Amino acid sequence: MNKRNFIISIMAIFSCVLLFVIEQVLQAPYLWKTLAKMGLFLMIPLLFIRFVLEKPILAFLNLRVIDLKNLRLGFLFGFISMGIVIGSFFLFRPFIDVDSIMTDLVERQEITKDIFLFIALYITFGNSLLEEFYFRGFLFLQMYEKGSKRFAYLFSALLFALYHVAIFAAWFNIGIMLLALLGLFAVGLLLNWLNLKSKNFLNSWTLHIMADIGVMVVGFYLFGFF
């Protein structure tokens, strides 16, 4: 691994650990956690690209290249992921403490039924954009092009999975958590692969949006919308 990728790896690990502390130790409300994520996953990487990598941000992101074939794959795998998310919830519901999840959402994160629609829209389109820019557009593609391709695949997918522990650490028992981590790691590998041809994160963002729609469907169910 070259020095630059090593620095990026350490920075990424530190950012995810800090988000875990903010979420689970400090138990910050959703708004403050979101602002912290924007700083760590968006502003710091953009500054790093501009002043350390010394590249124009738009050129680095390469967003003008749209691979229609992979975009279709993103929608296809996205619909499959949506079905898996919804199906898994109802399949494993007897082993999930729904009351603990709702208590965590309402009391700690201050997410209520009245504002859930707005939170759902942000998670589906905004939060997914942050995560795809960071884990795929910034971490994976940079490491893949400038270092070990295998390490780029494994590191970004593993960190993507472990980062979610901060979100559902209080929700699941150890068995469900390990199963969720395994699924997130596999999804991370798939998201990485989708972006290789176009060299940007638009394809994986498409899949991520579809998967998050599945998560939000579960959320609407838990909040009693249907």
Side-chain angles (χ1 to χ4, degrees):
M1 183 192 305
N2 60 46
K3 182 179 179 181
R4 184 167 291 177
N5 280 358
F6 177 76
I7 293 172
I8 292 174
S9 301
I10 297 301
M11 184 173 67
I13 294 171
F14 174 79
S15 295
C16 290
V17 170
L18 184 56
L19 284 175
F20 179 87
V21 171
I22 292 171
E23 175 101 28
Q24 293 297 331
V25 179
L26 300 180
Q27 297 193 343
Y30 193 84
L31 175 61
W32 294 108
K33 178 189 71 173
T34 299
L35 292 175
K37 186 184 295 185
M38 287 180 176
L40 293 169
F41 280 11
L42 181 62
M43 297 309 300
I44 291 177
L46 288 178
L47 291 172
F48 191 88
I49 292 168
R50 184 67 185 89
F51 296 107
V52 178
L53 300 182
E54 297 182 338
K55 294 182 178 180
I57 292 173
L58 292 179
F60 179 90
L61 296 177
N62 196 33
L63 296 180
R64 291 180 297 177
V65 179
I66 299 177
D67 184 342
L68 294 179
K69 180 180 178 180
N70 276 20
L71 204 57
R72 289 194 293 268
L73 285 174
F75 276 109
L76 173 61
F77 285 121
F79 276 111
I80 294 173
S81 298
M82 187 194 309
I84 291 175
V85 168
I86 297 172
S88 296
F89 171 77
F90 288 103
L91 178 64
F92 293 104
R93 189 180 176 188
F95 308 100
I96 298 174
D97 189 345
V98 173
D99 291 336
S100 293
I101 294 176
M102 294 306 298
T103 298
D104 183 65
L105 291 175
V106 174
E107 294 184 2
R108 180 176 67 83
Q109 302 193 49
E110 300 179 357
I111 299 175
T112 64
K113 184 176 181 178
D114 292 337
I115 65 170
F116 183 73
L117 175 60
F118 303 101
I119 297 295
L121 289 172
Y122 163 72
I123 290 175
T124 302
F125 298 101
N127 187 70
S128 63
L129 176 60
L130 283 177
E131 292 182 3
E132 288 311 308
F133 161 72
Y134 189 72
F135 288 103
R136 257 63 65 177
F138 179 60
L139 291 183
F140 172 68
L141 290 176
Q142 169 68 20
M143 290 182 171
Y144 188 90
E145 293 178 0
K146 302 297 182 181
S148 169
K149 293 176 173 53
R150 180 178 299 178
F151 178 80
Y153 259 106
L154 296 177
F155 177 78
S156 58
L158 181 61
L159 193 65
F160 174 70
L162 293 175
Y163 143 80
H164 283 84
V165 171
I167 300 172
F168 53 65
W171 295 2
F172 305 139
N173 60 43
I174 187 64
I176 298 296
M177 181 177 293
L178 290 175
L179 188 62
L181 287 174
L182 180 62
L184 285 166
F185 177 71
V187 168
L189 295 176
L190 174 62
L191 292 169
N192 289 339
W193 172 75
L194 277 175
N195 294 327
L196 276 181
K197 189 172 182 180
S198 60
K199 304 299 182 184
N200 61 43
F201 63 89
L202 292 180
N203 301 313
S204 62
W205 185 31
T206 301
L207 191 159
H208 201 144
I209 288 172
M210 303 300 294
D212 277 349
I213 289 174
V215 176
M216 293 308 105
V217 168
V218 173
F220 279 110
Y221 172 80
L222 292 179
F223 274 102
F225 284 90
F226 54 84

